[in-house]
C-alpha cells in the first residue's frame, strides 16, 4: 500500500477510515519559587516532565539550588506526567545538592510522580519535608 493511501485514510483499518491526528506538542511546564523555612527555596513545578522538558527543568532547578541557602523543596502536585528523563533530572539534582552541603526534598506529589517513584524504587531517596 502506498504511503499516500494512509494520508487519505485508506489504511488497513478499512476504506475511508480517518487518518490519525498528529501528536499534540508536549505541554510546557512552568516553575514558581518562594522562600521556604530554614533557608530553603520552594519550587512549584507545573506540567509534564519528560524527555522534551528535561533540559529546561535541569537548568531551572540548578539555578534555584544555587540561589538557595540550604536547599530545595520541590512541589510536584501539578505534574501530570513524569518519565525517567524527568526522574533522572531529580536524581542528579539530589546528588548535586548533597555535594554542596544542601538538601533536596520532594514535597507534595501528583499520583503520576508517586507511582514512578514507587516503581523505580527511588521514593526513599526523596524524603518529604518536615
Amino acid at each position: 500500500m502506498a504511503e499516500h493511501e494512509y494520508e487519505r485514510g485508506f489504511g488497513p483499518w478499512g476504506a475511508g477510515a480517518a487518518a490519525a491526528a498528529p501528536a499534540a506538542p508536549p505541554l510546557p511546564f512552568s516553575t514558581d519559587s518562594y522562600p521556604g523555612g530554614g533557608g530553603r527555596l520552594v519550587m512549584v513545578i507545573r506540567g509534564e516532565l519528560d524527555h522534551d522538558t528535561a533540559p529546561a527543568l535541569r537548568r531551572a532547578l540548578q539555578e534555584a539550588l544555587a540561589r538557595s541557602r540550604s536547599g530545595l523543596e520541590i512541589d510536584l502536585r501539578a505534574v501530570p506526567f513524569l518519565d525517567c528523563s524527568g526522574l533522572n533530572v531529580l536524581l542528579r539534582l539530589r546528588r548535586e545538592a548533597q555535594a554542596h552541603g544542601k538538601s533536596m526534598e520532594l514535597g507534595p506529589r501528583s499520583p503520576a510522580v508517586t507511582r514512578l517513584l514507587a516503581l523505580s524504587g527511588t521514593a526513599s531517596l526523596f524524603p518529604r519535608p518536615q
Side-chain angles (χ1 to χ4, degrees), residues 1-16:
M1 185 173 295
E3 186 173 306
H4 68 278
E5 291 175 314
Y6 285 102
E7 292 173 15
R8 289 190 202 138
F10 293 99
W13 317 122

Side-chain angles (χ1 to χ4, degrees), residues 9-130:
F10 293 99
W13 317 122
L27 294 175
F29 80 97
S30 65
T31 62
D32 291 314
S33 63
Y34 60 90
R40 283 191 314 226
L41 188 63
V42 178
M43 289 288 295
V44 179
I45 301 174
R46 294 177 193 86
E48 295 186 1
L49 304 180
D50 57 20
H51 176 73
D52 293 328
T53 59
L57 173 66
R58 180 183 47 79
R59 284 189 300 276
L61 291 176
Q62 284 177 325
E63 290 171 7
L65 183 63
R67 287 192 327 260
S68 73
R69 283 188 326 193
S70 64
L72 294 179
E73 177 184 331
I74 303 174
D75 180 333
L76 298 167
R77 77 180 102 199
V79 174
F81 180 79
L82 173 67
D83 74 1
C84 30
S85 298
L87 177 58
N88 282 328
V89 169
L90 297 175
L91 290 167
R92 286 187 184 114
L93 185 76
R94 178 183 174 271
R95 194 175 331 132
E96 187 176 327
Q98 290 174 335
H100 289 93
K102 296 181 178 184
S103 67
M104 183 190 131
E105 300 171 333
L106 297 185
R109 307 161 192 199
S110 70
V113 171
T114 300
R115 183 171 192 271
L116 182 61
L117 293 175
L119 288 173
S120 64
T122 58
S124 64
L125 299 176
F126 297 105
R128 292 191 185 261
Q130 298 181 9

